[in-house]
Structures are given as C-alpha cells and as structure tokens.
Amino acid sequence: MFRLTRTFSIASFLGIVIVAMVLSLFYRNISVSALIEHETQNNVSITQALSNTIWPRYADFVARTSGIPPRELAAQPEIASLRDEVLQKIRGLRVVKVKIYNLSGVTVFSTEAKQIGEAEEDDDGIVKAVTGKTTSDLVFRGQFSATERVMENANLLSTYIPARRTPGGPIEGVFEVYSDVTSLVEGIQRTERTVFGGVTVMLFMLYLFLLMIVRRADRIIKAHENEERKAQAEQIHYMAYHDPLTGLPNRALFKDRFQHAVTVAQRTNTPLGIMFIDIDRFKVVNDSLGHEGGDAVLVEAAKRIRACLRASDTACRIGGDEFTVVLERLTASDDAAQVATRLIQKFSEPMKLGDREIIVTASIGISIHPGATQDVQRLLKDANAAMHEAKESGRNRYVFYTQEMDARAQESFEYELGLRRALQNNEFHVYYQPRVNTATGKVVGAEALLRWQHPDRGLILPDKFIPLLEDTGLVIPVGEWVLRQACRQCKEWHDAGQASLSVSVNLSMKQFRSGSLLASVRHALVESGLPPRFLELELTETVLVDDAEQALGLMRDLKDIGVSLSIDDFGTGYSSLNYLRRFPIDLLKIDSSFISDVVRNRGDAAITTTIAVMAKSLRLGILAEGVETREQARFLKTIGCHEMQGHLFGPAIPAGDFRAQLETLDVPKLAGFEPKSVLPPGNPAAA
C-alpha cells in the first residue's frame, strides 16, 4: 500500500544528495573557471612584462636556436643571463616556472635547466600559442620541480602565451608560465565544502519542515483510507444482507432477524408472529407495465409495508413479489391482525406510476407462536400456507394459519405426486356433458371435461387438481392428451351415425402460450380424422387480455385450420367489447354464476340479457352454462340463448354412457318448451 512518508523520505534523501552535489559541482566549475581566467590574465601580464624587458634582447637568440643542436642549448652563454633576468622578474610572484619555446616546439629556456633542449612540438598549448591563442590548463601534480625547490601535491596553472617584440607583430616564440594556485584551489575546495554543508543543512531543515507536513498529510490519507475501507466494508455488508431494489433486508438477513426474534420470544415468553405478503396478480402487472413498472410497484410496496409496521417489526423481501414481516413482542394475535388490516388498507390506495394510477392488492398469511403453529421454526412455512389460503379465498385479505391447512397442504402434495404418474398409469378419463340447441331441442355437441380416477381416493373433479396441473406444468401434456381423446371420440360418434355432433375442449393459459398448441391441434385432427369444423376450443378472457397481439395471431392461425373458438366463463374476467370486436370469436359461454339465480335476481337477469343482446349485435353465438331448472331454460330461450348446458340435460359422463344418453334424452320435456320446426343450418347465431 502507498505510504506518503516513506516515499517522501526516500525521494527527499536522494533529492538532497543530488541537489547538494549539483550545486557543489556548479560552484566548483564556476570557481575554477574564474580562477583560470584570473590567473591566465596574471600570467599574460607577467609574460607581457618579460616580453617588454627581455624578449627584445633574446628574440634573435631564440630564432637562432633552430640551428643549434638541442643538447648544446644549455651551454649557450645567453642562457645564464636569461635565467638571471627571468628569476629576478618573477621573484615574489606565484610563478614557479617559466619556459620559452621556439616556433619548432624546442625548449630553448627553462628555469629548470634539465628541461632545456626537450622537444615539445606536439604539445597542444604550444601549437595553439604558435597560432596566436593563449591557453591555460589547471593540473594537479603529486611532485613538481619548481625553480628553486621541489613542490608536492601542488595545483598548477600552466599558461601558453605567444611572444612578440611588438603588439600585433609576428609570433617569434612561446612562453609557458606555471603559477602555483594551490592555496587558491584549496580555498575553492574549502568554500565548496562550506557551500555543500550549508546547502545540505538548509535542505535538511527544509526536509524536516516538509516531513512534518507530509506526515500530517500521510495521517490524513491513512485516516481517509481507513474510512473508505470501513465504508466499503459496510457497503459490502449492506449489499450482502439487503435487497438492492427496495432496500429491505433480504433472505439472509431475515434468517438472522428471525433467529434473534425467536431467542427474544423464548427468553421473554412473548408471542412471535410471521407475516407472509404476496402481491396479487403481480405477473399481470409486470407484463402490462414492463419490468421497470414492476420494479416501481415493488419499491412502492416496500414503502407501504414499512409505513404500517411498528418500530419492533422487521420487513424483508425474500424474492420476487414476496415479502415477510417479523412481528416481535406481540401481546395477542389481534396485534398481528391490526398490522395486517393497516397493510390491506394501505395497499388499497392508488399507486402513482408516472402519469398512470393503478391499484395493487396483497394477500397476507399470518402464523403465530405459540398458537396454531406449534414449532417456532415452522412459522414461515405456515405463514406461506396461510398466504396461499388468502389467495384461494379471493385475494386482498389476510388469513391466520390453522392446523387444517396442513391437511389440505398434505393432500395437495399427495395430489401433486399422484399427478406426475397419473398420465402414465392411464388414471385420467374424459367425461362429456351434452350441449343442447334451444331451437331444435337436440343435442348438438358435448364439452370434454377431465376427470382423475385416483387409485385410493376415487374419482376426483377438476377443481381439485387442475390448479396443480397448472403449477407443475403438467397441464400442457395432459391438455394435449385430452385434445386427442376428444377428437378421436367425436370421430367415433360420427362413424356411429351421430355426424352432427361437435366437441369442445378447454385450453389453459399455459397451453395457449406454450408455442406448440397449433401443432397439437393439427396433429389431433389428422390423427383422429375429425373435420376441423366439429372442434371448438374454449379460451378464458385472461388469455386474450394478458398478451393481446400474440393471442390474436394464434387465434387467426387456429381459425385458418377451420376450428371454432369460444370464450368460456364470459363475464367473470376482463370483459371488453374491444377484444370481442377484434378477435375471431364464434361463441360466448355465459358463466354459471349468472345463470344460477337468473330467475330470481334482477341483476343477474339484466347482465345475462345484456350479454345476449351484445352477442347478437356482434353476430356471436351464446351458450349458457350451469342450467339446472326449467325456469332458467325458458328464460334463456326467451332472451335468445342459442345453446344450453347443465345438469337439467345431464351431468358429465363417460363416453360410453354419453351415446346411450343421446337416445333417451328428451330435451323439450326436460326444458318445458317446444322446438321450432325449421332451423337454419350453420352458425348458431343465425337462429
């Protein structure tokens, strides 16, 4: 992990060393350059003085030396006098050696006699001086032979100077003057060390000052990092235990809160309750409003649940549209009932979603311990069972768990297990209930109704097991089997002389949406040989409303095959003139709930009459279900009902008994009305 103080310390240390070294080197270069420049001027001045006083007398001698052998130069008489004059001139100066070269680079004179006669033609200083340039070079010598002594560890400045008799005259030789600058160089070095030390001290003090600031900044950064880590850990913990959509505790946190509530309840010996809340028909809401609208409903539902709870209660979303509430420290079951009542009332208020208002209801199951729930760990399971009971009893209500629900749940479980093997074991049977024409008094068809011959419980009616078929998905293969059986049976009736009979088969929503319905209908018709016009498929209004465009396309495809389509239980769902106008429907089946009291109840009579008038205006056939009395039959015939079906004309019976019933069934006598003598063929709506 990044640490500011450590990084600053390393970087600062390196920076101090580098800056000090650079400044020291910079100072040294400037000082040495100044020294060389200054001493060069001194040497030039000394040489100029020598040139003025000595060179005019010895210039010719120097010029002649080119013809004298080098080993003989030291013996020339001019050398001794030249030495005396040079030593006299440089006495008291920092000059420690003087050399004179001819233009060939031969040492004509040197205050160190043994160097006279040496050839230095390749010396760079001599070469440059011959061309008129004055050059200097600072050198260090461990041992150096000066004019009158031997010097050790000396810093010398060697200057090569062109020699002329007159300013601007021709160059006739070269002077080399050695100056002893040891003390000056040592002064530079002392100053350099002082500068280095001073710079280092100042930088170190600056470092200490900045270090305090950096350490403060480092502590702030560390504190910020710790806060970020803590916030991140808290966020991760929150996300792990809360629903991201609604912000409520999720299933994992529910388990923790529930266990805590159990511990408190057992320690304080107070009742504990669980509420299981499920939004009614949420799939329809989600499909119609889209997932964004569905999410908005869930968020609003969570807000309403929280608003209705006590401070000691905990609401959780455990998945989908399912919520739970942990009810702690209850004094009685009425406390839970009061909370549930507030929730039902709150949910009944319209929800504002954008520019739309909708009403969403909820079904609530409640379990209390101690109470009907004996085991505290079963509270959630029992609340769930009570919630399903609330849905089955009409939705938008709350139901307390009772032990009788266990028996029904066990029965439902056994039914589910039995249903999975019923088709393979040939336990399903198709019964047929006659449909009679009110004009002719004849049986014109039959509705195929599924029955289950349970090996232990005997004959079971559809209302006991059809919902389980829907929930398990078995309704699709079972529905296809019923369709094949009905088509085959109707063809057998035709072959036996009852060529005018038709058969109607109910379709479930899952079967309608399965994607295989069209192929299943074609297969059943081809397999049985039944003409398509004798097959009627019954749909519910929910199928048409939930996905209108898909339903319209599939219904048109079915009509292209040639089968008839009817709306079952009309009036109990989302009745709409719009879909009656758009969809290719042939027949409306009025639900038995309107027929049962149609003679005595003016409201039911008005609704039934209105349906009949509406169907006639749309040229649709009408069939009344659940006809049980002559009075009902006569009323229905009066308002123009084309077909009837019910116990007045016979219950649903096996196929073998149905054919025998046809021969003995006296519809006019049962219904109490005479048939017409003439009936136009074709669409029943023409009657």
Side-chain angles (χ1 to χ4, degrees):
M1 184 178 292
F2 174 77
R3 285 292 179 265
L4 184 60
T5 302
R6 181 176 60 190
T7 305
F8 172 79
S9 298
I10 295 173
S12 298
F13 175 77
L14 294 176
I16 290 173
V17 172
I18 292 172
V19 169
M21 291 178 65
V22 169
L23 287 176
S24 177
L25 183 62
F26 180 71
Y27 172 78
R28 177 187 297 177
N29 289 337
I30 291 178
S31 299
V32 169
S33 297
L35 173 65
I36 292 174
E37 183 179 357
H38 182 268
E39 290 302 314
T40 299
Q41 292 296 327
N42 287 340
N43 290 343
V44 169
S45 299
I46 293 170
T47 303
Q48 186 64 43
L50 292 174
S51 296
N52 293 336
T53 58
I54 298 174
W55 191 251
R57 296 195 302 275
Y58 293 98
D60 293 335
F61 167 71
V62 173
R64 291 197 311 269
T65 57
S66 58
I68 301 173
R71 63 178 179 274
E72 296 179 3
L73 285 175
Q76 298 299 315
E78 290 87 347
I79 296 299
S81 60
L82 181 58
R83 175 182 176 83
D84 292 338
E85 290 189 39
V86 169
L87 291 177
Q88 183 180 0
K89 296 292 183 182
I90 65 174
R91 185 172 291 115
L93 302 177
R94 283 197 297 270
V95 177
V96 295
K97 184 186 289 188
V98 175
K99 295 175 71 175
I100 299 175
Y101 303 94
N102 62 20
L103 296 180
S104 298
V106 177
T107 305
V108 176
F109 170 77
S110 174
T111 53
E112 187 179 353
K114 64 180 181 180
Q115 292 182 332
I116 297 174
E118 293 179 351
E120 301 288 347
E121 64 273 10
D122 295 331
D123 189 297
D124 186 62
I126 296 174
V127 172
K128 290 182 178 179
V130 170
T131 62
K133 296 180 180 179
T134 299
T135 59
S136 295
D137 188 21
L138 182 65
V139 297
F140 174 79
R141 297 289 177 85
Q143 191 174 47
F144 177 74
S145 296
T147 301
E148 299 177 349
R149 65 190 186 280
V150 175
M151 301 175 62
E152 294 183 353
N153 299 322
N155 288 288
L156 304 173
L157 183 69
S158 173
T159 305
Y160 295 88
I161 307 163
R164 296 179 175 88
R165 294 189 188 187
T166 60
I171 298 173
E172 298 173 311
V174 176
F175 277 88
E176 182 181 8
V177 178
Y178 286 87
S179 300
D180 181 11
V181 294
T182 301
S183 61
L184 298 178
V185 171
E186 289 177 350
I188 291 173
Q189 291 175 343
R190 286 194 299 273
T191 304
E192 181 185 1
R193 288 192 292 271
T194 302
V195 170
F196 182 83
V199 169
T200 302
V201 169
M202 287 189 294
L203 290 177
F204 185 72
M205 292 177 65
L206 178 62
Y207 162 76
L208 293 177
F209 174 72
L210 294 178
L211 179 62
M212 290 188 294
I213 297 176
V214 170
R215 291 187 65 181
R216 173 63 178 167
D218 201 11
R219 287 194 294 270
I220 293 174
I221 291 174
K222 289 179 181 178
H224 181 67
E225 288 177 350
N226 291 336
E227 290 178 0
E228 283 188 342
R229 284 195 295 268
K230 182 179 179 181
Q232 186 177 22
E234 291 176 352
Q235 180 68 16
I236 293 173
H237 183 273
Y238 182 86
M239 292 174 63
Y241 291 99
H242 288 79
D243 173 49
L245 178 63
T246 63
L248 293 178
N250 60 12
R251 183 183 293 272
L253 188 53
F254 166 76
K255 293 179 180 178
D256 181 70
R257 297 281 178 86
F258 174 69
Q259 194 57 49
H260 174 266
V262 169
T263 302
V264 172
Q266 291 175 340
R267 186 176 66 247
T268 60
N269 196 28
T270 56
L272 171 66
I274 292 291
M275 298 175 64
F276 200 107
I277 306 169
D278 188 271
I279 298 177
D280 295 330
R281 298 178 58 80
F282 181 71
K283 187 177 186 306
V284 176
V285 174
N286 213 28
D287 290 344
S288 59
L289 299 180
H291 290 295
E292 289 186 1
D295 288 348
V297 169
L298 292 174
V299 171
E300 179 62 24
K303 291 180 181 178
R304 296 187 177 192
I305 292 173
R306 279 195 294 254
C308 296
L309 301 183
R310 304 170 305 170
S312 59
D313 301 331
T314 301
C316 306
R317 182 188 178 206
I318 61 174
D321 60 327
E322 296 176 339
F323 299 86
T324 58
V325 174
V326 181
L327 302 169
E328 297 187 54
R329 302 181 183 277
L330 297 175
T331 57
S333 59
D334 285 347
D335 293 346
Q338 291 174 9
V339 175
T341 300
R342 288 198 299 270
L343 280 169
I344 295 296
Q345 292 173 348
K346 193 69 174 178
F347 268 91
S348 65
E349 298 174 2
M351 285 188 182
K352 184 75 172 177
L353 300 179
D355 57 350
R356 303 180 59 179
E357 277 193 355
I358 65 170
I359 294 179
V360 176
T361 61
S363 296
I364 304 174
I366 308 172
S367 58
I368 305 293
H369 177 84
T373 299
Q374 301 301 319
D375 182 2
V376 69
Q377 299 300 329
R378 283 176 50 96
L379 276 168
L380 183 61
K381 176 178 177 295
D382 292 346
N384 187 26
M387 182 274 295
H388 284 291
E389 183 73 16
K391 282 190 175 293
E392 292 174 3
S393 59
R395 301 188 180 93
N396 192 30
R397 64 192 62 202
Y398 66 87
V399 171
F400 279 90
Y401 169 78
T402 62
Q403 292 181 344
E404 289 76 13
M405 293 179 186
D406 269 344
R408 290 196 295 271
Q410 183 62 32
E411 181 183 53
S412 177
F413 179 69
E414 292 177 359
Y415 279 172
E416 182 176 342
L417 293 178
L419 284 171
R420 296 188 180 277
R421 59 174 181 267
L423 192 60
Q424 289 77 14
N425 295 344
N426 297 318
E427 296 174 9
F428 287 124
H429 300 280
V430 180
Y431 279 38
Y432 299 90
Q433 187 173 33
R435 292 169 47 167
V436 301
N437 186 287
T438 57
T440 64
K442 300 292 185 181
V443 175
V444 294
E447 179 178 2
L449 299 169
L450 184 63
R451 299 292 186 267
W452 179 17
Q453 188 65 44
H454 194 279
D456 300 322
R457 298 178 181 271
L459 191 66
I460 302 176
L461 297 180
D463 60 335
K464 294 289 186 181
F465 63 86
I466 290 295
L468 286 175
L469 286 178
E470 291 274 1
D471 292 341
T472 59
L474 292 172
V475 71
I476 295 176
V478 172
E480 292 176 351
W481 177 83
V482 172
L483 183 63
R484 294 196 303 272
Q485 290 293 107
C487 290
R488 181 187 58 78
Q489 184 59 61
C490 190
K491 184 62 170 66
E492 288 183 7
W493 290 333
H494 287 187
D495 295 342
Q498 300 290 338
S500 62
L501 289 180
S502 64
V503 66
S504 62
V505 179
N506 291 280
L507 297 179
S508 73
M509 181 181 294
K510 285 191 176 180
Q511 194 176 359
F512 190 79
R513 293 180 172 179
S514 66
S516 61
L517 177 61
L518 196 63
S520 298
V521 172
R522 285 177 175 149
H523 177 70
L525 291 171
V526 171
E527 182 185 57
S528 64
L530 179 69
R533 68 179 183 276
F534 292 103
L535 174 62
E536 178 184 300
L537 300 177
E538 299 185 14
L539 311 173
T540 62
E541 295 174 87
T542 305
V543 169
L544 307 182
V545 172
D546 285 350
D547 194 343
E549 294 306 318
Q550 187 228 5
L552 179 59
L554 181 54
M555 291 174 72
R556 285 173 176 169
D557 292 338
L558 291 171
K559 289 295 293 181
D560 289 342
I561 295 176
V563 301
S564 300
L565 300 176
S566 64
I567 302 299
D568 193 19
D569 301 331
F570 183 77
T572 61
Y574 297 92
S575 302
S576 170
L577 289 176
N578 184 50
Y579 76 69
L580 291 179
R581 177 180 58 83
R582 292 181 62 199
F583 294 111
I585 301 167
D586 300 294
L587 181 73
L588 299 182
K589 298 185 71 174
I590 304 175
D591 187 68
S592 59
S593 62
F594 297 110
I595 306 303
S596 61
D597 206 23
V598 72
V599 177
R600 295 183 299 272
N601 189 303
R602 298 176 65 179
D604 288 347
I607 292 174
T608 305
T609 303
T610 300
I611 294 174
V613 172
M614 177 183 63
K616 185 176 181 179
S617 65
L618 294 172
R619 300 185 64 79
L620 299 176
I622 311 170
L623 183 147
E625 298 180 298
V627 180
E628 298 182 352
T629 66
R630 288 186 175 187
E631 291 77 12
Q632 293 170 350
R634 283 196 292 267
F635 174 82
L636 293 168
K637 182 179 180 182
T638 301
I639 65 173
C641 189
H642 304 112
E643 294 183 30
M644 299 183 195
Q645 176 183 338
H647 282 78
L648 179 63
F649 311 107
I653 54 178
D657 298 333
F658 184 83
R659 183 181 175 189
Q661 185 186 43
L662 292 179
E663 299 175 356
T664 60
L665 186 62
D666 188 350
V667 173
K669 181 178 180 181
L670 291 172
F673 54 78
E674 295 295 329
K676 291 182 180 179
S677 58
V678 179
L679 176 69
N683 191 334

